[in-house]
Amino acid sequence: MTNEERELAGWQAEWSEIADVPAFERAIGARVARDRRRLLVAAAGEVGGAILGIAVIAWLLARTHGSAFILSVTIPLLVFLGAWLTRFFEMRRGLFRAPGESVAAFIELTRKRLAAEIEWMRFARRSTTILGIAVVFWAAWAFVKYFDEYTAEPWRAVVGFGGAVIILAGLAWWIPRKQARLTGELARFEEVVGRASLDVS
């Protein structure tokens, strides 16, 4: 069983135990608090990743004195990082804190958080597809431009191009599975809300 499957099974088991309104009220409050911590950790990870990416780009530019080849890679990456981070926080605006302490507010916030995560996965899928296409064209250009270097030291091509392929393939495998898991979570949540007769929509 994968980590995603174990997480979904645990989440489903947690909600399956809720059979009445008081139990749901306790569970939803705890869920909102846990989700907020997850959001903060995710936000810190995204910002930290962007800072690390910018630091690596700055190091590459300084090391190569701003060569055209490095600029052709780093400028699009900086634009991508900026768009990625902006979209991340834009989609989660107002979701870090509950607008109130009522059960109805907690239900609505949980719905919005799950919907935002599902939409984020869609955005990530589109973005990585565009990035993958861009990488293919860039890799072809780089291989032609540095053909002599790559044929003299093939390991450079294997590490560089192979690393990019592995990362993109990993994302292509993981993103749709994460999206499906979140969609299942939202459906299960709505089912429990309906069973507890607390749907305020």
Side-chain angles (χ1 to χ4, degrees), residues 127-184:
S127 298
T128 52
T129 299
I130 293 170
L131 181 63
I133 294 169
V135 166
V136 168
F137 283 103
W138 171 83
W141 172 74
F143 186 78
V144 171
K145 182 175 177 63
Y146 295 97
F147 179 78
D148 293 338
E149 288 87 341
Y150 286 136
T151 52
E153 297 180 298
W155 66 268
R156 292 183 181 275
V158 173
V159 172
F161 301 140
V165 168
I166 290 171
I167 291 171
L168 290 170
L171 289 172
W173 178 88
W174 177 77
I175 289 173
R177 284 160 179 78
K178 177 74 170 179
Q179 185 178 339
R181 185 184 67 78
L182 289 167
T183 302

Side-chain angles (χ1 to χ4, degrees), residues 18-56:
I18 300 170
D20 54 39
V21 171
F24 181 83
E25 290 176 352
R26 292 191 298 273
I28 190 66
R31 166 85 190 205
V32 164
R34 286 197 306 273
D35 283 349
R36 182 172 186 271
R37 287 192 293 271
R38 290 190 189 110
L39 271 175
L40 291 173
V41 169
E46 293 291 341
V47 172
I51 291 172
L52 178 61
I54 291 170
V56 170

Side-chain angles (χ1 to χ4, degrees), residues 66-95:
S67 73
F69 176 72
I70 295 300
L71 283 172
S72 72
V73 179
T74 56
I75 290 176
L77 279 177
L78 283 173
V79 172
F80 183 84
L81 282 173
W84 182 273
L85 208 56
T86 300
R87 186 64 173 159
F88 178 88
F89 285 101
E90 181 184 276
M91 292 180 66
R92 291 161 179 80
R93 184 181 301 153
L95 300 184

Side-chain angles (χ1 to χ4, degrees), residues 91 95 109-122 182 186:
M91 292 180 66
L95 300 184
L109 180 62
T110 301
R111 280 179 177 146
K112 288 180 178 179
R113 281 174 172 173
L114 285 169
E117 291 303 318
I118 292 168
E119 183 57 33
W120 174 251
M121 286 298 107
R122 293 193 187 103
L182 289 167
L186 182 57

